[in-house]
Amino acid sequence: MAELRPDYEQAPVPIGTPGGAHRRLRIALALTVAGAFVVTVAIQAGWLLNTGSAGVGPSAGSEAVSGSGGPAGSPGPNSSAPPASSSEVSLAPPRPPTSPGLIAVVDDNGALSTMDDGGGSRVSYPAPGVVFGFPAWSSDGSRIAIVGESSRDSAIYVFTVQRDGPGSLADGAKPVVIYRSADHVPFYLYWAPGDRAVAFLASEATDISLRIAPADGSAPLDGSGPGAIIRQGQPLYYDWIDAERLLLHVGSGTDAFTGEVGLDGKPSSRVLQGTGVFRSPSASRDSRYLAYVRSKAADGSGQLVVAARGGSASHQMPVFGPVAFEFDPFGTTLASIAATTPVDPTLGIPIGPLRLMNPATGKIRTLLDGSVVAFWWSPDGKTIAALRVAQPGDDQVTADLGLVLAGAVVPGPSAGGAVQAPGIAVRLTFVDVATGDAQPDRVVRLADHFVNQLLPYFDQYALSHRLWSPDGASILLPLVDAAGRDQVVVVPADGSGPRPITGGAKAFWSP
């Protein structure tokens, strides 16, 4: 079945039509290597805007995208050293789990289960006839909300997590259904602070609705209850400020709305001038600061603004083209990626160096040079995991491992006796925020599903879905094995060998 994706771009895409045609977007990331030549790296698994299944992934445009950035293999901020070479890392043998958290995994058949970081203590959460999308953990780790699609409709299920050993849930431990519809199909889920409700996006006839449902299933399941719809429009992004207020970015350009709203959708403070090219606004976890982008000129330039709530002070950073940003877990630093020079106006995804801004002083620091396309803060705010565009030659490395850690070829009928392995090659690095020291780049081959659904909107998903382990030791990535199968892989931040734990491409860590 195809998977649903949040529709965050300019043109809405029909969602929830079983058997609907797939729309593909070939994203070309143009970058200059050593100032000598331009290489186009095609992320060609398609930005699949699939229809008819329960998943998440905020997108809907269907246009070729290109952009430019700096050298993609720079080993550290402003370093003059040559780019780090790709390396193959041998798989480490299984070991006892080191994280206290659990991992929620949806396999290729759409079945949900939880397990530890060694793949053990597996518990299944059955729902006959239902195909599940991306699981969203409650903040206390006790429940999982997830969209499921059946032949009749789509629904949001809330499962209570079983932690007392492997097996399947008992017959009496049924999930709570909190929303169900065949016409207004839900997709992206984001728990409200306090875990009493789940906010979600749903497809409408011409745009998107932001809805909310109590997590105990006490409201009408068809979403007809009072206060069930917070806002409508498109594109639509949001972050929680507290359990009663959200920070919204709805619409685009001069017609955009950016600001705080209550659960009734009405502005609860001043409207911000957030008319730039960005997706999710960001509120610091301590609710002291807000971040958004303000347009400045017709050449695509703008300003990334960090403002104290109430407007008492603000700082700006010049940016070009699309921008993605996120506060650290403590609200002391804002990380962002964007171009630093004018870019092609058709550029649809953020790409550029990873820069940090102090919201109190406005001080800016480049943490990682090159063409960064996504990043994630560790839970302690000390490390950032970043993905950069692959360099020429990364796809030519042959890996004879069960897991494809570098671009690989597998036997095939082509003239050279080999065919390109599936998946998308990118460079992964872990950067120490305080020192700027970075682990050597690893070339990893991401599963198509991750690239299609989550990567283009990593900044929105970073608010609600966790790739980092609770102890900050590892992240989860869905990588491709040599046979073309998706594997959920634990990748340690210390540079030690990654560990595939199970098949599948949708997996997130508990808090």
Side-chain angles (χ1 to χ4, degrees):
M1 279 192 175
E3 187 156 46
L4 301 179
R5 305 186 44 195
D7 190 344
Y8 282 125
E9 298 300 317
Q10 299 298 322
V13 173
I15 300 177
T17 304
H22 297 170
R23 292 176 58 190
R24 294 176 176 267
L25 173 62
R26 177 182 297 269
I27 297 194
L29 302 177
L31 61 154
T32 302
V33 179
F37 58 92
V38 175
V39 178
T40 297
V41 180
I43 298 184
Q44 57 188 349
W47 236 246
L48 294 184
L49 304 183
N50 295 344
T51 59
S53 156
V56 284
S59 171
S62 179
E63 24 183 273
V65 177
S66 64
S68 61
S74 173
N78 306 311
S79 172
S80 60
S85 60
S86 62
S87 60
E88 298 176 19
V89 183
S90 298
L91 297 182
R95 61 177 177 80
T98 58
S99 166
L102 291 177
I103 298 170
V105 178
V106 175
D107 65 23
D108 292 336
N109 295 318
L112 172 67
S113 60
T114 57
M115 62 195 67
D116 60 37
D117 73 345
S121 301
R122 185 186 295 260
V123 176
S124 298
Y125 298 80
V130 175
V131 175
F132 286 121
F134 287 1
W137 288 88
S138 62
S139 65
D140 64 1
S142 67
R143 289 172 291 174
I144 295 171
I146 191 165
V147 175
E149 183 180 278
S150 70
S151 59
R152 302 178 305 276
D153 53 34
S154 294
I156 299 175
Y157 300 80
V158 174
F159 287 94
T160 297
V161 176
Q162 178 177 315
R163 294 177 177 267
D164 54 359
S168 296
L169 290 178
D171 289 340
K174 300 294 184 182
V176 175
V177 176
I178 66 172
Y179 175 82
R180 186 185 299 277
S181 178
D183 300 318
H184 308 289
V185 178
F187 39 95
Y188 172 77
L189 307 180
Y190 186 178
W191 283 84
D195 297 334
R196 297 181 64 182
V198 178
F200 60 97
L201 300 180
S203 60
E204 303 293 335
T206 59
D207 54 24
I208 296 167
S209 60
L210 171 58
R211 297 169 177 257
I212 191 167
D216 61 3
S218 58
L221 298 187
D222 62 359
S224 61
I229 298 179
I230 297 174
R231 195 92 175 205
Q232 289 188 223
Q234 72 90 20
L236 200 163
Y237 301 83
Y238 66 103
D239 190 9
W240 284 99
I241 295 174
D242 56 41
E244 301 296 326
R245 287 171 295 178
L246 304 97
L247 180 61
L248 295 190
H249 175 210
V250 186
S252 59
T254 57
D255 295 327
F257 169 85
T258 304
E260 297 182 30
V261 302
L263 296 182
D264 59 2
K266 297 179 180 179
S268 58
S269 67
R270 65 190 181 95
V271 176
L272 306 173
Q273 298 301 310
T275 59
V277 184
F278 70 109
R279 295 171 308 216
S280 176
S282 186
S284 63
R285 294 307 93 186
D286 59 6
S287 299
R288 293 178 60 195
Y289 299 102
L290 308 176
Y292 58 96
V293 176
R294 180 169 57 209
S295 289
K296 184 177 180 181
D299 64 357
S301 64
Q303 294 175 327
L304 173 57
V305 180
V306 179
R309 289 187 62 215
S312 60
S314 67
H315 301 283
Q316 298 81 38
M317 180 172 69
V319 291
F320 290 86
V323 190
F325 45 90
E326 184 190 356
F327 283 102
D328 73 357
F330 307 102
T332 60
T333 306
L334 182 77
S336 67
I337 55 174
T340 56
T341 57
V343 297
D344 185 330
T346 64
L347 182 69
I349 60 173
I351 179 171
L354 177 63
R355 294 186 288 175
L356 306 181
M357 180 189 290
N358 184 312
T361 66
K363 183 178 180 180
I364 299 168
R365 177 166 65 104
T366 297
L367 185 66
L368 191 64
D369 286 327
S371 300
V372 179
V373 294
F375 66 88
W376 295 272
W377 284 98
S378 65
D380 60 10
K382 295 180 179 180
T383 307
I384 293 179
L387 296 179
R388 292 190 280 188
V389 175
Q391 291 186 336
D394 285 347
D395 271 351
Q396 307 305 315
V397 180
T398 299
D400 295 325
L401 302 173
L403 174 70
V404 180
L405 286 177
V409 293
V410 294
S414 65
V419 295
Q420 183 63 49
I424 301 299
V426 295
R427 287 185 167 237
L428 168 67
T429 190
F430 296 92
V431 190
D432 185 288
V433 174
T435 66
D437 294 336
Q439 289 284 340
D441 284 357
R442 308 185 205 189
V443 179
V444 297
R445 185 166 290 277
L446 297 171
D448 290 348
H449 190 91
F450 182 87
V451 174
N452 298 338
Q453 301 288 332
L454 188 147
L455 191 60
Y457 305 95
F458 76 91
D459 47 341
Q460 179 71 59
Y461 279 107
L463 302 173
S464 53
H465 293 69
R466 301 166 184 84
L467 294 183
W468 276 94
S469 61
D471 59 6
S474 308
I475 65 168
L476 288 173
L477 284 177
L479 303 183
V480 180
D481 69 15
R485 296 168 300 197
D486 296 341
Q487 299 288 321
V488 176
V489 180
V490 175
V491 185
D494 63 5
S496 58
R499 308 186 309 278
I501 61 171
T502 190
K506 290 172 280 190
F508 300 98
W509 235 301
S510 67

